[in-house]
Amino acid sequence: MQRFLILNHISRQYVTFTKVYDEQRKLHGRTRKAVTETIRICKDMNVLKEYLEEREKEVENIMLAMYDEKEILLEYIESERYDTEKEMAVQLLKEGVPVEQIARCSSVLSIDEIRMLQKELLQNA
C-alpha cells in the first residue's frame, strides 16, 4: 500500500510537470527557455524537486533531444510530401491538367511553384 501511495504521488507530480511544460511551451515555443522555466517553476512548486535538483541538466538535455528528434522527423515527412506532390504535379502537367486545378488539389505546392514546374517542362520539351 505504501508503495502504491508513493507511485501515485510521483505520478501526480509528473502530470503537474507536463502541465507546466505545456503552459511554458505555449508562451515560449519549443525552446530551451520553455524547458528551463518548466524546471524552475516545478522546483519552486516542490514538484519533482529532489529529482530535478539532482538531474536538472539531464532532464533539460532529454527534453531538448526529444524535441529535436520530433522536429527532424516532421521536416523529413514534410520534405517527402513536397517531393511526392511535386512529382504528381509534373505528371498531371504532362497529361495537360490545368495549373489551377492542380493547385486546388495540392496541400503543399503553391500555384506559382506549379507554374514554375510547367515552365521547366516547356523548356525541356
Side-chain angles (χ1 to χ4, degrees), residues 16-32:
T16 301
F17 179 88
T18 58
K19 286 179 180 178
V20 170
Y21 178 62
D22 286 343
E23 297 275 324
Q24 292 305 305
R25 199 180 68 231
K26 288 175 187 172
L27 291 172
H28 306 290
R30 292 185 185 264
T31 62
R32 181 176 298 276

Side-chain angles (χ1 to χ4, degrees), residues 6-108:
I6 291 170
L7 288 175
N8 188 30
H9 179 69
I10 291 170
S11 295
R12 280 185 280 136
Q13 287 190 41
Y14 180 75
V15 168
T16 301
F17 179 88
T18 58
K19 286 179 180 178
V20 170
Y21 178 62
D22 286 343
E23 297 275 324
Q24 292 305 305
R25 199 180 68 231
K26 288 175 187 172
L27 291 172
H28 306 290
R30 292 185 185 264
T31 62
R32 181 176 298 276
K33 181 165 177 80
V35 172
T36 57
E37 282 298 296
T38 299
I39 292 169
R40 182 191 61 76
I41 291 167
C42 285
K43 286 180 2 185
D44 289 349
M45 293 172 50
N46 205 25
V47 171
L48 301 173
K49 185 175 183 173
E50 288 179 32
Y51 184 84
L52 292 172
E53 285 178 343
E54 292 172 10
R55 297 188 166 108
E56 184 169 339
K57 271 295 176 206
E58 182 182 349
V59 170
E60 185 179 320
N61 289 336
I62 289 170
M63 290 176 75
L64 290 170
M66 286 173 26
Y67 168 71
D68 290 343
E69 288 175 13
K70 184 177 179 181
E71 284 301 303
I72 289 168
L73 179 60
L74 290 174
E75 287 175 17
Y76 172 76
I77 291 169
E78 189 63 29
S79 172
E80 287 295 308
R81 183 180 300 145
Y82 180 85
D83 290 346
T84 300
E85 286 202 22
K86 187 176 172 183
E87 289 173 21
M88 190 180 326
V90 168
Q91 285 301 102
L92 292 170
L93 287 167
K94 286 179 180 177
E95 293 174 17
V97 176
V99 171
E100 293 77 14
Q101 188 175 349
I102 297 169
R104 281 194 304 271
C105 297
S106 178
S107 62
V108 180

